[in-house]
Structure formats: structure tokens, C-alpha cells
Amino acid sequence: MSSPLPAADPAPRHPLDPLTAAEIAAARTILMTAKALPETTRFPTLELDEPGKAELAAWSPGVPIHRRASAVTLDTASGAVHEALIDVSGGTVLAFTDRDTRVAPYGQPP
């Protein structure tokens, strides 16, 4: 018998913990709203943007974790591809880059 799923995502306890479902949903909402992306936008990848060594070295258990996400978006209607860096903790988009889909590597991140 399988155990029931928890009612809510546990908060990340370490800076390298994967994004929670709530963080993924927040990152998506932040990006869709900030960049006015159409509903035809899909997220082939949306994952933790791992902190640098200095941030990891400065962290200790119990200290709040600043979380960022990196994403690749694909507009299925237009074929537009973008890369983004989202500050999930701060609720902002830090970077948003258009990827040319007409020449190699055809919209794929380098």
C-alpha cells in the first residue's frame, strides 16, 4: 500500500534541494506575468538555479534560503524560445533572453 502524499510541499531545508511544486508554480507565474507570455507558452525545463560556492559556504541550517529558478520557454504558437532566470524568493525576473530558432542550435541553449 502506498503512503498518501503530503498535504503541502515541505519547505526546502538545504540550498541544493530541488524546487518544490509551490516554487515551480510561483516561478511560472512570476515569469508569465512579468513578461506577458501567451497561454501557448510551455516550460520544457524549469529547475533550480544552483547557488554559487560562496553562497553555499555562507549558509547554515535554519538560515532562510534565497531561491532562484532557471527556465526555458517555448511558445507553441510562434515557436519562440527564451531562457530566463527567476528570483523565486524576490518575485522578479532577473534575466530573459530570446534564443534564435532559425540557425543552429535552433533555439536550444548553448
Side-chain angles (χ1 to χ4, degrees):
M1 177 176 219
S2 64
S3 60
L5 296 173
D9 280 336
R13 298 188 340 219
H14 187 275
L16 295 177
D17 282 351
L19 293 173
T20 65
E23 289 173 320
I24 291 169
R28 182 187 185 283
T29 299
I30 292 164
L31 187 56
M32 292 290 288
T33 303
K35 296 301 177 181
L37 297 175
E39 286 301 314
T40 53
T41 299
R42 302 295 179 258
F43 288 76
T45 63
L46 199 161
E47 60 194 7
L48 177 67
D49 179 58
E50 294 184 359
K53 288 183 180 183
E55 286 181 85
L56 286 174
W59 178 80
S60 61
V63 173
I65 303 169
H66 192 83
R67 306 281 278 178
R68 292 181 306 267
S70 63
V72 173
T73 67
L74 169 65
D75 183 344
T76 58
S78 69
V81 175
H82 298 93
E83 282 184 288
L85 182 61
I86 305 122
D87 181 346
V88 179
S89 300
T92 60
V93 176
L94 302 172
F96 189 74
T97 307
D98 181 43
R99 292 290 169 206
D100 189 353
T101 58
R102 294 167 291 173
V103 296
Y106 308 104
Q108 298 299 312

